[in-house]
């Protein structure tokens, strides 16, 4: 049996800023002001630390609103290069355990601990937490369970700075009273539909018929059924993500505003391209990821005929993919990623 150990860094960008500027520790601040450069106050909060969250400020909030709440906060620009290099150190540290790993995002990693009991996984988690703290200087939270989704849910439950083990025996109790919106990937809209069907808690949802859920929501309904019943056992997908270069931003974007869409995608393509050049890599697959404000996610990829490292071609491809964005919804996160990488010197093919 394999046990999933899910590591999620606490308020990652903000914690990185505290590492860089120790004088900020314990003070209130917000990260996300690179938007100041060209458009005063048009951006949104990328992240903030827990002290700042107490004021009611949160990620994806327009900066202007944060300003209204507290104008004299420290407002910092994002330093993606620093976050990326810190993330890489964390991934390297986790890789040293020798398990298969999946990098879920810049600050979330799932590990598949083969033949590992929950007791042993708990011990390992304590050790991992201590090592990340000692060697990198950052806090994290760890969730342990039999499937990836439950490990992630356990992790969310233990935030910040905690560890939680969720076993087959505990999972039903754990889920019973949770509102349906806490199912991973369920946004407000789907939550409202489930409530209208009479399912306000995950416990109630577990009584639904699989056929009815499938009929109403398709594949997503099947997934909901498995999670609600505590029988979902998603394993990890070993790592395409580590062999890709991506950048994403929390935004408040109306997709119908093409000028705005092109401006943000131009910036992201520029950053991805610069990173690929720095690492001497060519790429062939381009992915655009969009998260709408109902938290549904839209991913569109395209694999080109040739390896490229041109910012113009990348931008053109990304703009092509952006035609598929649903223009009737607001977007709250957008990202560009390149994968199928090959070293420019041709000697270090990654696949
Ligand atoms: Mg995190």
């Amino acid at each position: 049996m394999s046990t999933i150990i899910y590591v999620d860094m606490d308020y990652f960008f903000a914690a990185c800023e505290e590492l860089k500027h120790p004088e900020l520790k314990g003070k209130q601040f917000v990260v996300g002001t690179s938007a100041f450069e060209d458009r005063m106050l048009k951006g949104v909060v990328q992240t903030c630390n827990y002290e700042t969250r107490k004021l009611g400020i949160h990620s994806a909030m327009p900066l202007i609103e944060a300003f209204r709440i507290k104008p004299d906060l420290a407002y910092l620009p994002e330093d993606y290069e620093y976050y990326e290099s810190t993330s890489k150190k964390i991934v390297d540290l986790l890789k040293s355990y020798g398990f298969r790993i999946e990098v879920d995002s810049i600050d979330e990693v799932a590990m598949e601990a083969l033949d590992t009991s929950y007791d042993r996984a708990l011990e390992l988690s304590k050790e991992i937490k201590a090592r990340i703290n000692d060697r990198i200087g950052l806090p994290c939270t760890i969730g342990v369970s039999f499937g990836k989704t439950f490990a992630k849910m356990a992790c969310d439950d233990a935030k910040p700075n905690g560890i939680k083990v969720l076993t087959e025996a505990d999972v039903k109790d754990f889920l019973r009273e949770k509102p349906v919106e806490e199912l991973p990937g369920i946004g407000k809209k789907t939550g409202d539909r489930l409530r209208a069907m009479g399912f306000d808690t995950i416990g109630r949802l577990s009584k639904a018929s699989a056929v009815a859920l499938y009929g109403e929501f398709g594949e997503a309904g099947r997934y909901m059924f498995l999670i609600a019943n505590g029988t979902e056992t998603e394993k990890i997908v070993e790592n395409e993500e580590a062999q890709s270069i991506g950048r994403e931003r929390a935004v408040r974007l109306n997709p119908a505003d093409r000028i705005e869409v092109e401006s943000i995608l131009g910036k992201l393509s520029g950053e991805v391209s610069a990173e690929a050049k720095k690492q001497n890599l060519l790429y062939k697959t381009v992915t655009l990821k969009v998260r709408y404000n109902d938290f549904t996610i839209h991913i569109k990829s395209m694999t080109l005929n040739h390896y490229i490292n041109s910012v113009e071609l990348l931008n053109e491809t990304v703009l092509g993919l952006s035609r598929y964005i649903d223009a009737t919804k607001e977007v709250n996160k957008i990202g560009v990623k390149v994968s199928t990488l090959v070293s420019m010197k041709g000697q270090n093919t990654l696949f």
Side-chain angles (χ1 to χ4, degrees):
M1 189 201 105
S2 57
T3 302
I4 306 292
I5 299 177
Y6 196 95
V7 180
D8 183 355
M9 303 307 295
D10 296 335
Y11 59 94
F12 184 57
F13 293 176
C16 285
E17 292 297 339
E18 287 183 357
L19 205 56
K20 248 177 37 188
H21 310 280
E23 71 278 7
L24 283 174
K25 223 171 158 73
K27 301 233 171 74
Q28 292 169 333
F29 67 91
V30 151
V31 181
T33 55
S34 57
F36 281 5
E37 295 159 19
D38 43 355
R39 287 184 201 80
M40 248 325 249
L41 287 180
K42 260 211 105 176
V44 299
V45 173
Q46 293 292 329
T47 190
C48 52
N49 57 353
Y50 281 96
E51 281 76 12
T52 314
R53 284 177 206 195
K54 286 179 199 151
L55 300 172
I57 294 173
H58 56 80
S59 120
M61 173 184 270
L63 282 166
I64 187 105
E65 257 176 63
F67 246 72
R68 265 187 219 122
I69 295 172
K70 201 161 166 56
D72 59 342
L73 280 174
Y75 288 83
L76 309 172
E78 306 91 325
D79 181 352
Y80 289 102
E81 220 167 291
Y82 184 71
Y83 310 150
E84 192 94 11
S85 67
T86 307
S87 169
K88 214 161 172 275
K89 281 187 207 157
I90 297 163
V91 172
D92 285 345
L93 188 154
L94 294 175
K95 273 186 182 159
S96 71
Y97 282 86
F99 299 125
R100 286 174 8 111
I101 70 166
E102 177 179 352
V103 179
D104 231 12
S105 74
I106 193 167
D107 75 325
E108 295 165 307
V109 178
M111 306 167 71
E112 191 170 304
L114 265 179
D115 299 321
T116 304
S117 68
Y118 288 123
D119 285 346
R120 176 71 189 128
L122 177 60
E123 259 173 57
L124 275 173
S125 300
K126 286 180 185 160
E127 187 189 298
I128 289 167
K129 222 168 128 42
R131 280 200 186 162
I132 294 180
N133 200 26
D134 294 348
R135 297 192 188 167
I136 299 167
L138 292 177
C140 68
T141 299
I142 300 184
V144 173
S145 194
F146 51 92
K148 195 180 110 184
T149 304
F150 293 128
K152 187 174 165 56
M153 287 179 87
C155 186
D156 288 343
D157 208 63
K159 281 209 153 280
N161 204 16
I163 298 179
K164 183 176 177 79
V165 178
L166 184 58
T167 68
E168 286 89 339
D170 306 331
V171 70
K172 285 228 152 190
D173 281 337
F174 172 78
L175 295 172
R176 189 166 296 121
E177 298 305 325
K178 286 200 182 300
V180 281
E181 288 80 5
E182 285 193 29
L183 284 167
I186 302 296
K188 190 177 172 324
K189 218 163 143 189
T190 311
D192 288 347
R193 273 167 78 191
L194 286 168
R195 281 173 189 275
M197 292 165 77
F199 307 123
D200 53 347
T201 62
I202 300 180
R204 291 232 162 81
L205 184 63
S206 72
K207 307 279 192 294
S209 101
V211 177
L213 285 179
Y214 187 84
E216 182 78 17
F217 300 101
E219 245 338 274
R222 203 180 65 87
Y223 179 68
M224 282 177 211
F225 181 83
L226 292 176
I227 298 177
N229 281 281
T231 50
E232 202 275 339
T233 53
E234 190 189 352
K235 293 299 173 214
I236 67 163
V237 181
E238 210 175 6
N239 223 348
E240 199 245 325
E241 204 67 31
Q243 290 157 350
S244 67
I245 297 169
R247 289 287 185 277
E248 55 181 45
R249 292 270 202 294
V251 288
R252 222 171 226 211
L253 185 63
N254 168 10
D257 182 348
R258 286 303 295 176
I259 292 174
E260 198 62 31
V261 169
E262 284 173 22
S263 148
I264 179 88
L265 289 178
K267 266 187 219 159
L268 292 169
S269 299
E271 288 175 20
V272 168
S273 171
E275 182 63 31
K277 285 198 172 137
K278 209 174 89 191
Q279 295 188 35
N280 265 323
L281 292 167
L282 300 169
Y283 43 86
K284 209 171 161 179
T285 303
V286 177
T287 302
L288 173 69
K289 181 171 163 185
V290 161
R291 192 179 71 190
Y292 297 108
N293 64 355
D294 62 5
F295 284 87
T296 54
I297 287 171
H298 164 100
I299 295 171
K300 194 91 191 158
S301 287
M302 179 166 189
T303 297
L304 306 164
N305 291 326
H306 303 286
Y307 285 96
I308 60 167
N309 77 328
S310 137
V311 67
E312 290 79 18
L313 274 176
L314 173 60
N315 197 29
E316 198 178 294
T317 310
V318 168
L319 288 179
L321 294 173
S322 75
R323 305 269 161 207
Y324 298 96
I325 298 175
D326 182 348
T328 64
K329 292 182 180 178
E330 192 180 76
V331 168
N332 69 14
K333 200 174 231 183
I334 190 161
V336 169
K337 184 177 85 173
V338 295
S339 53
T340 323
L341 306 171
V342 65
S343 163
M344 252 197 278
K345 289 164 198 131
Q347 44 188 296
N348 234 346
T349 310
L350 294 175
F351 291 103

